[in-house]
Amino acid sequence: QLWSLISIQEPTRRNQMAELCADQDQIHKAGVFFALVVDNARLKAAAERVGEDPDGLDTAEFYTMAVVDAALAGERMTVAAEQLGLGCCYIGALRNHPKEAAALLGLPKSCFGLFGLAIGWPSEDCSAAIKPRLDQSTVWHKETYNRELDLAGYHRRMSAFYESQGMKGAVNWSMRSGRRAGLKRVGTRIEVKPFLTDQELDLR
């Protein structure tokens, strides 16, 4: 239970959060906006209250557990919301300015804003489509990791999707994702690692 959820509804605070998250329209307009938080602070306080020494909380293991917990919670929220006919959008841009986001959320040490989640009723003229995912054979490895990489079929499916969304189909998924993996595209999120160190997370 190494996660917390913070809802941001007050208009001024919501606008400030949106500005930190690439000023995305869905943050401004969604009925509800949440921040999913890695939270080792609660366990630290609870342990110290009963005389235990939580000196393992700054390890990569506890940080990883907290990331998994927060991600699972966000996914369960999304499944529940979609069952009610609501629309959801994950906001990775919550990590664009980790220090400023933490200040706005009032996070103590041992906490980190992992991602946002916007939830609301989809507009009637919504034209969003489900983006194709990688072929099952590419992500499901049997017994050992398969290093053979065949993306030709996926590139064909994604090119058709890109064109349906008004994007260039000739620029395939490997090209787009490869560019995103470049250090230049990491941008301000390069600040995440030093922020985690300052928050006493993922140190060992």
Side-chain angles (χ1 to χ4, degrees):
Q1 301 182 83
L2 301 172
W3 67 284
S4 281
L5 185 71
I6 300 176
S7 56
I8 302 101
Q9 294 298 92
E10 193 279 319
T12 299
R13 189 180 301 275
R14 178 83 78 92
N15 287 337
Q16 291 172 335
M17 179 57 70
E19 290 173 7
L20 292 174
C21 299
D23 208 28
Q24 296 184 57
D25 201 38
Q26 55 267 38
I27 302 174
H28 289 288
K29 294 182 177 179
V32 191
F33 182 74
F34 297 99
L36 278 294
V37 176
V38 163
D39 185 355
N40 288 349
R42 180 174 50 240
L43 178 55
K44 181 178 181 180
E48 291 174 343
R49 187 174 295 179
V50 295
E52 297 292 341
D53 182 7
D55 60 351
L57 283 178
D58 65 352
T59 59
E61 169 60 10
F62 268 90
Y63 173 70
T64 301
M65 282 196 290
V67 169
V68 170
D69 280 0
L72 289 173
E75 181 69 8
R76 290 300 179 102
M77 288 177 65
T78 297
V79 170
E82 289 180 342
Q83 285 294 311
L84 298 173
L86 292 160
C88 302
C89 182
Y90 295 113
I91 308 292
L94 187 67
R95 300 186 301 278
N96 282 8
H97 303 284
K99 184 176 181 179
E100 292 81 357
L104 187 61
L105 295 170
L107 299 183
K109 295 283 189 182
S110 301
C111 288
F112 169 52
L114 189 63
F115 62 91
L117 182 60
I119 302 178
W121 296 107
S123 63
E124 293 182 2
D125 62 349
C126 179
S127 60
I130 297 175
K131 183 185 293 185
R133 312 313 292 177
L134 287 162
D135 296 334
Q136 189 179 85
S137 60
T138 305
V139 297
W140 181 4
H141 307 267
K142 298 177 181 178
E143 308 304 331
T144 59
Y145 192 94
N146 180 12
R147 295 172 187 246
E148 297 296 323
L149 189 61
D150 181 5
L151 296 174
Y154 183 57
H155 284 160
R156 285 193 295 273
R157 291 190 292 120
M158 279 301 292
S159 291
F161 172 80
Y162 290 141
E163 290 173 1
S164 75
Q165 300 296 303
M167 303 164 70
K168 295 179 180 179
V171 183
N172 66 35
W173 176 83
S174 292
M175 295 172 183
R176 293 175 192 273
S177 298
R179 289 172 187 168
R180 291 186 68 184
L183 190 57
K184 289 182 179 179
R185 292 294 296 275
V186 173
T188 58
R189 295 191 198 182
I190 198 71
E191 299 169 9
V192 166
K193 179 59 179 175
F195 176 75
L196 293 177
T197 299
D198 187 57
Q199 287 295 94
E200 301 170 2
L201 292 164
D202 196 20
L203 299 183
R204 296 182 282 146

